[in-house]
């Protein structure tokens, strides 16, 4: 798949000539353009993932599915890959953090703190408010973007995305 051209019938029928960048790339992966140029789509990283959170995404490229669980940053996907699509594991795996969206139960005055309970990094904190249920916030300096909170949210109001200027986007 040179130059990101998606020749699959599905992509062609949808009018898509390139493989869209996933919301979250694999940990330690190179830029998306370099990734799709060199990835062979062999699936070795998918089978190597002990958490089984890697799935075949658009164009057959691996993608992270946090609804299946969290990333433990074990680097088994990196070790299993023969293609030059990963950076050294001595570097930060990625610049993703959790982001709480408007559908959070706390915004509807329903008490729920499952995301905080599932966060090993203790990056999700609930602030008490007079006359209201506690509201969550992400401590971006502590969040590693593992995604444990995503699958644990009963209403699916947490996503993982890049952090810009100290704020999750």
């Amino acid at each position: 798949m040179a130059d990101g051209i998606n020749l699959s019938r599905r992509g062609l029928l949808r009018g898509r000539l390139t493989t869209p960048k996933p919301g979250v790339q694999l940990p330690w992966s190179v830029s998306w353009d370099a990734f799709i140029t060199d990835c062979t789509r062999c699936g070795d990283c998918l089978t190597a993932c002990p958490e089984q959170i890697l799935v075949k995404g658009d164009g057959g490229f691996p993608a992270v599915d946090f609804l299946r669980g969290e990333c433990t940053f074990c680097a088994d996907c990196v070790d299993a890959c023969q293609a030059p699509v990963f950076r050294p594991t001595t570097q930060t795996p990625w610049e993703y953090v959790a982001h709480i969206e408007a559908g959070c139960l706390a915004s509807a005055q329903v008490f729920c703190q499952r995301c905080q309970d599932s966060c090993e990094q203790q990056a999700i904190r609930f602030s008490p408010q007079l006359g209201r249920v506690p509201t969550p916030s992400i401590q971006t300096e502590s969040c590693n973007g593992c995604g444990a909170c995503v699958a644990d949210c009963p209403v699916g109001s947490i996503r993982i995305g890049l952090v810009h200027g100290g704020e999750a986007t």
Side-chain angles (χ1 to χ4, degrees), residues 114-124 143 146 148-149:
R114 285 179 59 174
C115 57
Q116 176 180 274
D117 295 343
S118 65
C119 183
E120 271 188 46
Q121 300 299 117
Q122 299 179 347
I124 302 175
C143 182
C146 72
C149 55

Side-chain angles (χ1 to χ4, degrees), residues 52 62 82 92 98 162 166:
Q52 299 181 339
Q82 300 301 310
T92 303
L162 290 174

Side-chain angles (χ1 to χ4, degrees), residues 5 9 11 14 23 39 53 68 72 82 161 168:
I5 297 173
R9 282 186 278 184
R14 290 183 177 169
C39 177
I53 64 168
R68 297 170 144 245
T72 59
Q82 300 301 310

Side-chain angles (χ1 to χ4, degrees), residues 129-142:
Q129 294 183 344
L130 190 59
R132 298 183 55 83
V133 299
T135 57
S137 63
I138 304 291
Q139 310 302 309
T140 57
E141 65 280 351
S142 301

Side-chain angles (χ1 to χ4, degrees), residues 23-98:
V24 177
Q25 288 184 241
L26 275 60
W28 296 287
S29 61
V30 296
S31 73
W32 183 244
D33 290 338
F35 189 88
I36 62 174
T37 298
D38 292 330
C39 177
T40 63
R41 297 177 273 184
C42 65
D44 288 349
C45 59
L46 277 63
T47 56
C49 180
E51 305 304 324
Q52 299 181 339
I53 64 168
L54 302 183
V55 297
K56 275 194 177 192
D58 279 340
F61 292 101
V64 179
D65 182 357
F66 287 121
L67 294 178
R68 297 170 144 245
E70 68 185 280
C71 182
T72 59
F73 306 107
C74 66
D76 286 358
C77 57
V78 177
D79 295 338
C81 185
Q82 300 301 310
V85 295
F86 290 101
R87 297 177 287 110
T89 57
T90 54
Q91 297 178 5
T92 303
W94 54 31
E95 299 297 321
Y96 298 117
V97 295

